[in-house]
Amino acid sequence: MKDRASRQPSLPYVVEDCLGLLQVLSDGTVLRFSPPPFPAGAAYDDGRVEWQDAVYDAGNNLGVRMYRPTTRSGAGAAAEHTKKKKLLPVLVYFPGGGFCFGSYSYPKNHALCLRFAAELPAVVCSFDHRLVPEHRLPAAFEDAMAALLWLPGQVLRSPWLAGRADPGRVFVSGTSSGACIAHQMAARFGTAGLRPLEIAGYILLMPYFLSEEATPSELSTPETALLSRERSDRYVRLAMPAGWNKDHPLVNPFGPYSSSLAPAPADVGRVLVVAAECDLVRDKNLEYAQRMKALGKDVRLALFPGQEHAFCANKPLSAAADEVIRLMKRFII
């Protein structure tokens, strides 16, 4: 007679693990875990910026964290009056995470947005979106469109943003998968599709562009990299709609199934692409900048030597992040 234990159903086991932040079990259960806290003693919230959370899509319980530089007192009535009159550019930011995880509430993302607000300076709106695999693509892109359509009313009428944010200087940005979202927003809105706001440009930080045909930078990426081939393929399995691979137009804008970007909004404003030398998607980032320039778009490219994927978001207090912020500051002026 067989042991009774051998007839018991097996317990669910992990079939996908994304950096310990997301696990998918064999029975389809999705487990999510909090990210590690910011390093002890890191003084990144120094009072130069104030922030608050809001909900932009109640139906999907999606939020935004809004940041603005504090208005310091004690500088004199005239200086205070001048400060209040000066409107700041608006930076819309979509965090990365392979569409699988990531949020404005993650400590490193929060630290980076604090720096954006204080040092650009700018009003920063960091938006969450629905995550895969519970909500496969294109859900994240649909949420980003909803976020941008929600924004004009806030900039013009919200007590938090009105009078502080410049409706004529909006920049849309993101890191990794968030930069993919920013690109799609450029194709959708251009500079004129968000009236009465005006999008002045787009900032793509190491966009997570892929293709089924492996590039030299993909083939040379070590297994120990933050974005390795194995980890990237896992994100694709979890994110893509059924039947799709890495040539989906949402992640391969110049792939075999992608529509030409030439008829996209003729004016997408200025586009800044930040690429990293030691990055799986480096070659796709360089190709994107070159092909967008060939279409007549105003694209500037900055390649950071020795850096890995999403370096400024992963190490928001680093010297390399300092340089990215200086580059962004020159770009939005």
Side-chain angles (χ1 to χ4, degrees), residues 92-96 125-127 129 144 147-148 172-175 178-179 181-182 185:
V92 174
Y93 182 72
F94 296 102
C125 296
S126 181
F127 288 95
H129 58 73
L148 289 187
V172 180
S173 181
T175 297
I181 291 174
M185 297 305 101

Side-chain angles (χ1 to χ4, degrees), residues 119-143:
E119 297 173 40
L120 292 177
V123 169
V124 179
C125 296
S126 181
F127 288 95
D128 279 354
H129 58 73
R130 284 174 291 173
L131 298 171
V132 303
E134 301 96 321
H135 305 281
R136 289 180 176 264
L137 301 183
F141 297 91
E142 295 168 351
D143 296 338

Side-chain angles (χ1 to χ4, degrees), residues 148 167-172 185-186 189-195 197-202 267-270:
L148 289 187
R169 287 193 297 159
V170 178
F171 294 85
V172 180
M185 297 305 101
F189 290 100
T191 58
L194 202 63
R195 299 295 185 193
L197 303 190
E198 293 186 14
I199 301 180
Y202 296 83
D267 184 10
V268 296
R270 307 190 300 278

Side-chain angles (χ1 to χ4, degrees), residues 202-205 270-274 300-302 327-328 331:
Y202 296 83
I203 302 171
L204 279 56
L205 306 176
R270 307 190 300 278
V271 179
L272 172 63
V273 179
V274 172
R300 300 105 187 262
L301 171 68
L327 182 67
M328 293 173 62
F331 180 77

Side-chain angles (χ1 to χ4, degrees), residues 16-24 30-33 95-103 106 129-137 140 176-178 181 208 227 231-240:
E16 303 281 11
D17 186 300
C18 299
L19 294 174
L21 297 171
L22 164 71
Q23 291 181 343
V24 181
V30 176
L31 303 177
R32 295 188 176 275
F33 304 92
F99 305 108
C100 297
F101 55 86
S103 168
Y106 278 27
H129 58 73
R130 284 174 291 173
L131 298 171
V132 303
E134 301 96 321
H135 305 281
R136 289 180 176 264
L137 301 183
S176 189
S177 58
I181 291 174
Y208 184 52
L227 182 63
R231 189 166 289 148
S232 178
D233 288 347
R234 180 178 298 127
Y235 296 155
V236 169
R237 287 195 300 272
L238 295 172
M240 291 300 117

Side-chain angles (χ1 to χ4, degrees), residues 203-220:
I203 302 171
L204 279 56
L205 306 176
M206 291 145 283
Y208 184 52
F209 293 145
L210 304 168
S211 65
E212 276 297 293
E213 182 178 354
T215 63
S217 63
E218 182 178 353
L219 292 173
S220 64

Side-chain angles (χ1 to χ4, degrees), residues 101-315:
F101 55 86
S103 168
Y104 60 72
S105 64
Y106 278 27
K108 289 182 178 180
N109 291 334
H110 181 58
L112 184 61
C113 286
L114 286 169
R115 293 201 65 187
F116 286 156
E119 297 173 40
L120 292 177
V123 169
V124 179
C125 296
S126 181
F127 288 95
D128 279 354
H129 58 73
R130 284 174 291 173
L131 298 171
V132 303
E134 301 96 321
H135 305 281
R136 289 180 176 264
L137 301 183
F141 297 91
E142 295 168 351
D143 296 338
M145 286 191 289
L148 289 187
L149 293 172
W150 173 88
L151 189 61
Q154 302 302 308
V155 170
L156 297 176
R157 294 184 291 275
S158 162
W160 182 260
L161 298 180
R164 301 291 295 276
D166 186 346
R169 287 193 297 159
V170 178
F171 294 85
V172 180
S173 181
T175 297
S176 189
S177 58
C180 278
I181 291 174
H183 158 73
Q184 291 295 335
M185 297 305 101
R188 166 67 174 80
F189 290 100
T191 58
L194 202 63
R195 299 295 185 193
L197 303 190
E198 293 186 14
I199 301 180
Y202 296 83
I203 302 171
L204 279 56
L205 306 176
M206 291 145 283
Y208 184 52
F209 293 145
L210 304 168
S211 65
E212 276 297 293
E213 182 178 354
T215 63
S217 63
E218 182 178 353
L219 292 173
S220 64
T221 298
E223 294 180 0
T224 55
L226 176 67
L227 182 63
S228 64
R229 294 186 70 188
E230 186 273 336
R231 189 166 289 148
S232 178
D233 288 347
R234 180 178 298 127
Y235 296 155
V236 169
R237 287 195 300 272
L238 295 172
M240 291 300 117
W244 275 100
N245 57 24
K246 288 181 278 189
D247 279 334
H248 194 293
L250 291 176
V251 296
N252 188 356
F254 292 103
Y257 308 105
S258 301
S259 301
S260 170
L261 289 174
D267 184 10
V268 296
R270 307 190 300 278
V271 179
L272 172 63
V273 179
V274 172
E277 180 187 25
C278 306
D279 187 355
L280 179 145
V281 298
R282 180 199 66 208
D283 291 346
K284 299 303 293 184
N285 288 181
L286 301 185
E287 177 196 19
Y288 173 82
Q290 292 164 357
R291 296 184 72 161
M292 289 289 280
K293 286 181 181 179
L295 291 174
K297 313 300 183 184
D298 181 3
V299 179
R300 300 105 187 262
L301 171 68
L303 177 62
F304 278 70
Q307 297 298 325
E308 287 193 277
H309 185 71
F311 64 90
C312 53
N314 192 45
K315 298 179 180 179

